[in-house]
Amino acid sequence: MQSLAEFHFLRAGYLLFLIPITILWWRLRPRKSAAQKLPDGIAPHLSAALLLGADDRRRVYPIDLAMLAALLITLAVSGPTWSRATNPLIADTAPLVIALKVTDSMEQTDLTPTRLERAKYKITDMITARSGAQTALIAYAGSAHQVAPLTEDPNILRPLLEGLVPAVMPQQGDVASIALDLALNILESNETPGSVLFVLDDLEPSQAQGFDSQGFDVFFLTMLPDGARIVQLDNLSNATVVPFTPDDQDINRLNRRIQSAYADALDDDDRLDWTDQGWLLAWPAAFLCLLWFRKGWVIRWAVLACILAIPSGPAQAAGWRDWFLTPDQQGQVAMNQKRYGDAADLYQEPYHRGYAMLKAGRYPEAAEVFAQIDTAEAAFAEGLARIRNREYRPAIAAFETALDRRPGWPEAEHNLEVARAILEFVETTREQSDTGEEAGIGADDTVFDNEDSKGAQTTIQAPKDGAEGLSADQWISAIDTDMQDFLRNRFLLDNQALNQ
């Protein structure tokens, strides 16, 4: 029904050709004459044989096939469409901000082991089901905090999600409306329309007004046993509520609803072109045109031409596609089927080839391709590839180049800030570890325990042969940080910044 509502013609002026086609069809189609009548006195069984064309009982004439083909061709040229075309600059899956309620009520054990733990499992399943899509995470209780920005990497979200417990929240309470404002701010920084999902077990009545005033569709996953309802959500006109289920039905239902809302939003996105679906009518029109040939030498020469058109040499399983689709079109088919590696090998257009390599995880190759394109979008994509390949300094340079080419680009500014923060974190951690403070090895010479001249002399010799410096990945992996302490301190700093 949604596709039917969006149906229209890209080149509606060509529909005027339907008028002469209809007139020609009406004028040229044979008609049986009702005026033919023999004189009286002829036997009825002989009269039918004497009438011209009396035995012609055909209902379909060649002119019918010709005019039907002309009708289909006219409709195809008019450009029927009902959906937007994909764009590599815009994600093919809706960005999603997940707001998780982290309160004492979520520690109840009516959902084993607790509501909060089951909520974490559901969020993990949601992230897995949305592989390759951008997801952000918010935690809220008496205050709301951004845990992770929009990211396609589930490895960033999972450890942060595990550290969320009520003890890390600075204040107890329920500020769901503030969490919604924070989620909308995250989505506003992204050019692609997205959705907000709340995972909760209750909603304060005073907070419900904040949802109605936004005029924005919000999704809710209620963490209550036996599909129990939250009365406050029933009164929200813009809420899609999905109750908890022990299996994946709730996650599948949410994904369908979120993707449907995303498709509706893209239909209103003027940055996307409409997909010309006229080619669907070209195939039946071509089949009807084949029926025009008489049985004889014409069809035999057509078969011979098809045989000669077959390329010589070794047969290839997918060689037939080259007869109908260009390499870029074949690459787009592979992208639509999420065969990113095949798409990267098929694409010839540089930006699309680099984007497919980025989606396939071939980050060094993607970065090299984007570096050869002189556009702000290419520099931005190069920065993404560099930062995922742990090349933080080149990533910073790429984002700076993107800002030079398009000043004030919010996404590039945000990613530049993130890349600089990661680089500073890595270098600070390496400097601390170089002193041995984090590793616990101390000095590499001699250590005395003899404050009162009573201690025994102890010598610790650090190994020097074959010692090699650790990479940035190894330094990060060696950090043993309590995630709950990290989140608690971060949320406290957030509150202090708000109160200043």
Side-chain angles (χ1 to χ4, degrees):
M1 293 299 296
Q2 179 64 28
S3 299
L4 185 61
E6 298 291 343
F7 181 84
H8 64 281
F9 290 95
L10 298 176
R11 298 172 292 274
Y14 286 98
L15 294 175
L16 294 175
F17 284 101
L18 294 177
I19 298 175
I21 290 174
T22 303
I23 294 175
L24 287 174
W25 199 342
W26 182 75
R27 294 292 300 273
L28 299 179
R29 195 176 194 277
R31 300 182 189 81
K32 293 181 181 179
S33 174
Q36 297 185 43
K37 185 177 181 181
L38 292 176
D40 296 336
I42 298 179
H45 68 280
L46 298 177
S47 62
L50 295 175
L51 291 174
L52 180 63
D55 60 344
D56 188 1
R57 296 184 174 87
R58 290 183 299 173
R59 297 182 178 180
V60 178
Y61 294 90
I63 188 63
D64 295 332
L65 299 181
M67 293 296 101
L68 181 58
L71 173 66
L72 293 175
I73 293 173
T74 301
L75 293 176
V77 173
S78 300
T81 183
W82 54 85
S83 61
R84 295 278 188 176
T86 58
N87 188 326
L89 297 179
I90 298 178
D92 55 2
T93 308
L96 178 66
V97 180
I98 301 177
L100 174 62
K101 184 180 179 183
V102 186
T103 60
D104 292 336
S105 66
M106 290 286 285
E107 293 287 351
Q108 295 188 34
T109 59
D110 47 6
L111 294 180
T112 308
T114 65
R115 295 179 181 178
L116 182 59
E117 289 301 318
R118 292 302 289 266
K120 292 178 182 179
Y121 298 154
K122 289 296 183 180
I123 293 175
T124 302
D125 293 342
M126 174 70 73
I127 296 171
T128 303
R130 290 167 39 82
S131 177
Q134 289 187 321
T135 307
L137 182 61
I138 290 175
Y140 75 94
S143 56
H145 306 273
Q146 176 179 308
V147 180
L150 287 171
T151 177
E152 297 178 5
D153 190 353
N155 295 324
I156 294 177
L157 297 173
R158 290 192 181 104
L160 294 170
L161 183 63
E162 289 300 322
L164 290 175
V165 294
V168 307
M169 305 304 295
Q171 302 174 13
Q172 292 300 311
D174 184 352
V175 291
S177 61
I178 297 179
L180 177 61
D181 292 337
L182 179 58
L184 295 181
N185 288 335
I186 294 174
L187 291 176
E188 286 176 0
S189 64
N190 193 300
E191 294 184 359
T192 306
S195 303
V196 180
L197 169 64
F198 275 79
V199 183
L200 43 70
D201 61 348
D202 196 8
L203 180 67
E204 288 288 338
S206 60
Q207 299 296 312
Q209 299 177 356
F211 288 85
D212 274 332
S213 62
Q214 291 289 348
F216 183 87
D217 290 336
V218 183
F219 299 88
F220 294 89
L221 176 60
T222 56
M223 301 304 300
L224 294 173
D226 302 324
R229 297 164 49 196
I230 299 176
V231 179
Q232 293 85 335
L233 299 181
D234 295 339
N235 300 325
L236 298 180
S237 58
N238 56 344
T240 299
V241 182
V242 176
F244 165 84
T245 61
D247 53 15
D248 293 336
Q249 291 184 13
D250 48 2
I251 298 300
N252 296 335
R253 183 180 172 189
L254 278 170
N255 275 326
R256 288 195 300 269
R257 295 290 185 90
I258 292 172
Q259 195 60 28
S260 177
Y262 181 58
D264 295 344
L266 288 184
D267 287 340
D268 299 328
D269 194 336
D270 295 334
R271 295 174 299 164
L272 298 179
D273 296 328
W274 290 96
T275 303
D276 191 341
Q277 304 287 359
W279 64 273
L280 294 173
L281 301 175
W283 289 105
F287 174 76
L288 292 175
C289 291
L290 290 176
L291 300 180
W292 296 347
F293 291 104
R294 288 175 174 268
K295 185 178 180 180
W297 68 271
V298 175
I299 192 65
R300 287 200 297 269
W301 277 106
V303 172
L304 179 60
C306 292
I307 295 175
L308 295 177
I310 299 176
S312 59
Q316 296 182 359
W320 62 270
R321 292 188 177 91
D322 296 334
W323 302 354
F324 304 99
L325 300 175
T326 67
D328 286 340
Q329 291 173 333
Q330 295 179 44
Q332 186 60 52
V333 171
M335 283 291 292
N336 295 339
Q337 298 174 352
K338 299 188 182 301
R339 295 185 290 110
Y340 303 122
D342 294 340
D345 297 331
L346 289 168
Y347 270 127
Q348 292 184 347
E349 198 278 324
Y351 189 89
H352 287 79
R353 185 170 73 252
Y355 180 74
M357 290 176 177
L358 181 63
K359 298 287 286 186
R362 293 157 57 176
Y363 303 131
E365 299 175 66
E368 292 300 325
V369 171
F370 289 130
Q372 300 174 10
I373 306 175
D374 297 329
T375 64
E377 290 78 9
F380 182 86
E382 180 189 354
L384 293 178
R386 298 284 189 192
I387 201 169
R388 292 182 184 178
N389 200 42
R390 309 296 187 186
E391 302 176 53
Y392 302 119
R393 292 187 185 279
I396 291 173
F399 290 130
E400 290 175 344
T401 301
L403 287 172
D404 289 340
R405 295 172 180 173
R406 185 191 293 182
W409 192 359
E411 286 79 6
E413 292 176 347
H414 173 74
N415 286 357
L416 177 59
E417 182 180 353
V418 171
R420 286 173 174 170
I422 293 175
L423 179 62
E424 181 181 359
F425 176 75
V426 171
E427 291 182 343
T428 302
T429 304
R430 178 178 299 176
E431 291 173 359
Q432 292 177 351
S433 298
D434 285 342
T435 65
E437 295 175 0
E438 298 294 328
I441 61 175
D444 60 353
D445 196 359
T446 302
V447 177
F448 297 97
D449 180 18
N450 58 355
E451 294 179 358
D452 298 326
S453 299
K454 297 179 181 179
Q457 179 176 330
T458 305
T459 302
I460 300 176
Q461 186 67 36
K464 295 182 179 179
D465 295 338
E468 297 181 358
L470 298 180
S471 65
D473 285 342
Q474 291 170 323
W475 285 112
I476 293 177
S477 300
I479 299 172
D480 183 13
T481 303
D482 188 335
M483 186 57 67
Q484 294 184 11
D485 289 341
F486 168 73
L487 292 174
R488 184 185 298 108
N489 294 333
R490 225 185 79 182
F491 294 165
L492 287 172
L493 290 175
D494 289 345
N495 278 1
Q496 291 176 4
L498 290 174
N499 294 330
Q500 289 179 354

